[in-house]
Amino acid sequence: MKQRLTVGQAVVRFLANQWTERDGVEQRTVAGFLGIFGHGNVAGIGQALLQAQRTGAPDMPYRLARNEQAMVHTAVGYARMRNRLSTMACTASIGPGSTNMLTGAALATVNRLPVLLLPSDVFASRAAAPVLQELEVPAAGDVSVNDAFRPLSRFFDRIWRPEQLPQALLSAMRVLTDPAETGAVTLCLPQDVQTEAYDYPDELFTKRVWHVPRQAPDPLAVERAAATIRGAHRPLIVAGGGVIYAEASSALDRFARETGIPVADTQAGKGALPWDHPNAVGGIGATGNPVANRLARNADVVIGVGTRYSDFTTASRSAFQHPDVRFVNLNVTGFDAGKLSALPLVGDARAGLSALLPALHGRRFTGDFRDDVAAWQAAVDHAYRGRGTQGDLPTQAEVIGVVNEACGTRDVVVQAAGSLPGDLQRLWRARDPKQYHVEYGYSCMGFEIAGALGIKMAEPGREVYTLVGDGSYLMMAQEIATAVAEHLKLIIILVQNHGFASIGGLSEQVGSQRFGTAYRYRNPRSGDYDGARLPVDLAVNAESLGASVIRCRTIADLVEGLKQAREADRLTVLHIETDPEPSAPSAESWWEVPVAEVATLHSTRHARTEYLAGKRDQRHHLRPGGL
């Protein structure tokens, strides 16, 4: 039997019948659509979603977004909260509507998170070429702006004819449900093809369950890895996001307790173990803490679990200084498992840890890191209390401390860019694997509110707090209106410091004197932005988007405001001004940002000297992990 459907209707019907299963638990692979309609998709995917909503066949929820980039961020937040087992589809119109999704596509693929992108495309018939918003390429007739998605996508296809759709959809699902391959999946849909009908076989629309296995690493590789670890004197575990996505926290807990090995975490892996676990030493790398980084410097075997070893994690390859350091990497992707010349264990984090522990034959390590951890936590307490000087602006660390203490065990904090990620990784005390959500693979300003929206969609029963600086807020605040329309409660802490605090500090570090990082009037005499502060009222802006707003002048105001926000049943923004100066203790680490080799400015020449000093600790890590 066959069903005569348009391409748009077939896409919606197919996606409604796709399910993901792991450990016997099934969930919808694509839980719904996010979209903004234009002439490229209103008559195709738009008509199909309307028909589904009116008839209930198929069941495919639709939510109206306000910005195409933001809706991809929302899908990413949703997917991360569901441990990559479920996501959202994003539909956009031809031209800028679709290319607005490019940044979101990059973010999804960099972070290894599944999203399905359905950008509308030019006419396949070319009868009216060039259509509105079509890019003409004189040397090629089959290129459109959507080809920019190719390098950003883990799978890309363009449906020129209706009969091409089944194979494209099945290929898309294979990548979306494969943790080793996943990322942005892009199916370009020419606007005329979306409306064309075809007789599709019934089998295309039957329930299809995509099994996500827990791949165990090769037994011989496990034994080689165990031999390397058994021979270590000062091993260290680096827990990445793969631990959380694999729901391997319990396995990591057992592994750490039985071996005695300390566990540091990356931005994506924070919360893999609770902050007060006896083996937890906190964040590692450029945004980590000094305890974890001292252990990293002396480690002779580093066991990476579910980490892709970004430059922040490795402190631009200066973190691991032992002359004979070796790496053992457990990762679901061979690409990540092989980094830093490691002995690779390709497999699921939970299955891999469960296989590796008995192979260690009871080997237990002793270390003296717990006193250092206790001293560090005392430093965190001090940072949370702030300066205590009457009349001073609150510090960012104080704000983080108040929010951390207000959060329940299952509440979620969301952040993405600026100075906050560094302070959060150093200072935040995570108590649940899903409590800490800092997008720091792409570090995309504007992710914060949109990503929080996706998290709330995925877990409506959790309170979701998002910390957003004024720089990120000005880039993308529109999804406040989306959350209000959907009756989804968020608690947004809007931290205003009148500029780019993170890049201001970095600018100073590289000798560029915070140039172009302040939100002030341009001074006609100097030509710089060093005039008075701009009279921008972001609290009023948030209120205009439908939020309830609480203005907080002091930390005491913020404490009371958070109580009110928790008791409220709608989205609340708490606005507070903070001191832009750094307020968290040093990570005792380094991050490589090149400094001008020649300069007339003394500040730049001095920064170049400091930069070259940091470069001296950089290592290639070419020694094979098993030797």
Side-chain angles (χ1 to χ4, degrees), residues 162-426:
E163 56 266 40
Q164 295 174 338
L165 183 64
Q167 188 58 51
L169 288 171
L170 293 171
S171 296
M173 295 306 301
R174 177 188 62 80
V175 176
L176 286 171
T177 57
D178 184 343
E181 289 292 318
T182 199
V185 169
T186 303
L187 298 181
C188 301
L189 300 174
Q191 55 184 308
D192 55 343
V193 175
Q194 288 185 44
T195 66
E196 292 176 8
Y198 184 76
D199 293 325
Y200 291 102
D202 284 344
E203 292 84 356
L204 183 63
F205 307 113
T206 56
K207 180 179 177 180
R208 196 179 302 264
V209 180
W210 300 83
H211 173 63
V212 180
R214 290 196 178 277
Q215 178 186 354
D218 176 74
L220 291 178
V222 170
E223 187 49 50
R224 287 194 295 269
T228 299
I229 296 169
R230 284 197 301 268
H233 297 285
R234 290 182 294 276
L236 175 68
I237 296 169
V238 177
V243 176
I244 296 173
Y245 300 143
E247 299 171 332
S249 290
S250 295
L252 178 61
D253 168 58
R254 181 185 174 197
F255 188 94
R257 288 180 186 273
E258 293 194 16
T259 63
I261 301 174
V263 179
D265 50 53
T266 70
Q267 285 279 12
K270 195 169 189 68
L273 291 181
W275 72 275
D276 55 355
H277 188 282
N279 294 75
V281 297
I284 191 172
T287 55
N289 72 60
V291 178
N293 285 328
R294 288 172 203 151
L295 290 169
R297 277 193 286 277
N298 295 320
D300 55 353
V301 172
V302 178
I303 307 161
V305 185
T307 176
R308 65 187 189 93
Y309 285 112
S310 75
D311 65 335
F312 266 76
T313 298
T314 68
S316 299
R317 297 204 177 190
S318 70
F320 308 108
Q321 287 295 312
H322 191 285
D324 298 316
V325 64
R326 290 170 292 171
F327 296 84
V328 174
N329 293 342
L330 169 59
N331 203 289
V332 73
T333 72
F335 175 72
D336 289 326
K339 287 179 177 176
L340 305 180
S341 302
L343 194 160
L345 288 176
V346 180
D348 171 83
R350 185 199 289 183
L353 289 169
S354 298
L356 188 57
L357 182 58
L360 292 175
H361 305 309
R363 176 76 162 96
R364 182 170 177 81
F365 301 88
T366 57
D368 55 0
F369 56 87
R370 290 187 177 88
D371 287 345
D372 289 341
V373 171
W376 168 248
Q377 291 303 332
V380 173
D381 287 334
H382 180 74
Y384 276 4
R385 288 193 298 272
R387 295 164 299 207
T389 304
Q390 194 71 21
D392 284 342
L393 284 174
T395 67
Q396 191 162 272
E398 287 178 277
V399 171
I400 291 171
V402 169
V403 176
N404 201 168
E405 289 166 6
C407 275
T409 302
R410 285 177 47 80
D411 296 345
V412 185
V413 66
V414 187
Q415 225 287 306
S419 58
L420 279 161
D423 287 357
L424 282 162
Q425 193 186 9
R426 274 193 288 279

